Amino acid sequence: MLLTIQTGQDNPILRQKTNKVKRITPEIKELILNMIETMDAKQGIGLAAPQVGQSLQIITIRPDPQQPAIVLINPEIIKKSFKKDIVEEGCLSLPSIQVEVKRPVSITVKAININNEQIKIKTDGLLSRVIQHEIDHLNGILIVDKK
Ligand code: ZN
């Protein structure tokens, strides 16, 4: 099911801190599948639950359409590189806005996946950037704050 994307930099749901997911219920799994479907339909490479009106710590990511989507629940960045770079980013919640954002090049993130397994991802490049962008959403931070 396609979900409605919340838009606007003053939209309250996009500005609040999200809640941790306590249990991966069938409803949570359904939300995740709908998020992936919505992300793909909008040709986004990442989506955070507040963007579909759910104040929960869930992100879905698919930087490469040939690869399966990555689901991170309660993600936490545990390490980031000193080295940063600047890349122009867009956001499904801020259509027609592009912002140059400075971020650490590589990160290590821990989270749980849809099967309630602990996972740890060390990555750089586009995946690192998308994960950081989506985790910002979980803290009510938008790219316009990064100007
Ligand atoms: Zn975004």
Side-chain angles (χ1 to χ4, degrees):
M1 189 181 81
L2 284 183
L3 305 170
T4 304
I5 303 275
Q6 301 288 318
T7 57
Q9 61 183 62
D10 299 320
N11 186 329
I13 189 79
L14 295 176
R15 288 311 198 166
Q16 68 199 41
K17 278 203 163 221
T18 51
N19 299 305
K20 273 209 154 84
V21 175
K22 293 201 180 79
R23 216 161 58 83
I24 303 171
T25 60
E27 290 74 24
I28 293 285
K29 285 192 177 179
E30 193 185 341
L31 169 65
I32 290 168
L33 294 178
N34 288 336
M35 283 175 64
I36 293 169
E37 190 184 334
T38 304
M39 172 176 72
D40 290 346
K42 300 284 177 188
Q43 290 173 309
I45 55 176
L47 192 64
Q51 293 183 276
V52 293
Q54 300 291 328
S55 198
L56 291 167
Q57 293 184 13
I58 302 170
I59 65 181
T60 61
I61 300 163
R62 198 200 302 263
D64 179 347
Q66 310 300 324
Q67 296 290 323
I70 298 167
V71 176
L72 301 179
I73 300 166
N74 303 338
E76 197 185 324
I77 293 171
I78 54 173
K79 217 190 250 181
K80 41 186 151 184
S81 63
F82 181 72
K83 194 179 164 205
K84 297 181 177 182
D85 62 1
I86 297 172
V87 175
E88 197 172 67
E89 296 182 18
C91 181
L92 290 175
S93 293
L94 302 170
S96 74
I97 294 177
Q98 302 270 316
V99 180
E100 287 190 333
V101 184
K102 190 176 187 180
R103 298 190 188 274
V105 173
S106 66
I107 56 160
T108 303
V109 64
K110 69 170 192 178
I112 54 175
N113 67 14
I114 197 166
N115 300 315
N116 202 25
E117 297 157 337
Q118 282 278 355
I119 53 171
K120 204 190 266 188
I121 299 173
K122 184 176 192 296
T123 185
D124 57 10
L126 181 60
L127 182 57
S128 162
R129 184 160 281 273
V130 180
I131 291 172
Q132 292 179 70
H133 176 117
E134 301 310 331
I135 290 178
D136 275 351
H137 275 299
L138 304 183
N139 293 308
I141 298 166
L142 299 172
I143 50 174
V144 287
D145 306 334
K146 302 276 190 176
K147 274 182 184 167

